[in-house]
Amino acid sequence: VCATKRRCLILNRVCVFWSILILQASCVEPICGNFLEADHSDSRFQNVKYILCDPSCSGSGMPSRAFDDILARSIIDNGDLSQAHNGNKKNNRKRKREKESQNTQNQTDKKERLEALSKFQVDCVCHAMGFPSVEFVSYSTCSINKEENELVVGKILERVNDFELDRALPAWPHRGIPMENATFDSSLLV
């Protein structure tokens, strides 16, 4: 289930490619809509056993977004370079205070956005786990933030008791961040 028609069309194209050209089977039907509004009792979902949850995230692990973040921080940290050496200490102090205020606001905005994304991600995965025949739910993001990865998994496991955490991609030498005081086996995440 995709929220926008554009994403639904992209998913449909990907599914057609994998289903017809590679797997020679069709088991995925993209639906345009709000996943959180998908009714667990809807007949279309009664036999669904496997769900891949790839909800909206910050995209902080995407190289292009990481570059954008680095560039934005550089601009904020350096300010207007054309006026950096004008010799006016009063104006320099004022610009420094403005820059510090902007940095604080940016950090607050980022924290609020991560909290909202994290809540949405937890809600999506928990909703997926509520379908009557589901046996396996895979959660993925393209984020490097623990708020969208390890902490989301911890919150999900606190809310849902019918599932257990399993190691994905065991051949990968490293993924995730080790967590102290986790209420689940966080070694499965790294």
Side-chain angles (χ1 to χ4, degrees):
V1 178
C2 292
T4 67
K5 287 184 180 183
R6 180 181 169 272
R7 290 185 70 181
C8 200
L9 286 171
I10 292 169
L11 179 59
N12 192 42
R13 287 183 187 138
V14 169
C15 290
V16 167
F17 173 78
W18 284 102
S19 298
I20 294 172
L21 299 177
I22 307 297
L23 302 175
Q24 298 179 357
S26 180
C27 61
V28 178
E29 177 189 341
I31 299 170
C32 192
N34 182 340
F35 177 68
L36 294 177
E37 294 175 0
D39 186 352
H40 290 136
S41 63
D42 187 319
S43 62
R44 296 177 295 175
F45 308 128
Q46 293 307 296
N47 297 317
V48 172
K49 292 183 180 182
Y50 310 102
I51 297 178
L52 168 62
C53 281
D54 186 27
S56 299
C57 71
S58 67
S60 60
M62 300 290 287
S64 63
R65 291 199 185 162
F67 178 74
D68 290 346
D69 287 346
I70 291 168
L71 183 60
R73 278 194 300 270
S74 175
I75 291 169
I76 290 168
D77 291 345
N78 295 322
D80 183 355
L81 298 178
S82 66
Q83 297 180 20
H85 300 289
N86 70 359
N88 186 333
K89 289 182 181 182
K90 184 176 182 181
N91 283 342
N92 286 341
R93 283 192 300 266
K94 181 180 177 185
R95 275 196 298 280
K96 183 177 179 182
R97 282 193 308 273
E98 289 171 353
K99 181 175 73 172
E100 288 170 355
S101 175
Q102 180 66 39
N103 285 341
T104 301
Q105 184 61 46
N106 288 344
Q107 290 300 318
T108 301
D109 292 347
K110 181 180 179 184
K111 183 179 179 188
E112 289 173 359
R113 182 167 185 260
L114 284 176
E115 287 173 359
L117 286 167
S118 174
K119 180 186 179 321
F120 175 71
Q121 293 155 353
V122 170
D123 290 346
C124 281
V125 176
C126 289
H127 187 70
M129 292 174 164
F131 287 94
S133 299
V134 74
E135 298 172 3
F136 183 88
V137 175
S138 177
Y139 169 64
S140 69
T141 70
C142 50
S143 171
I144 59 171
N145 297 310
K146 67 180 178 183
E147 293 87 351
E148 296 178 274
N149 292 311
E150 294 83 5
L151 296 179
V152 165
V153 171
K155 290 174 186 175
I156 292 164
L157 293 173
E158 288 172 3
R159 283 178 44 181
V160 179
N161 296 319
D162 300 350
F163 287 82
E164 61 185 49
L165 189 60
D166 197 5
R167 181 177 298 279
L169 305 170
W172 281 25
H174 176 79
R175 66 196 170 278
I177 301 169
M179 294 179 53
E180 293 183 25
N181 305 320
T183 59
F184 59 94
D185 184 2
S186 67
S187 70
L188 293 172
L189 300 176
V190 292

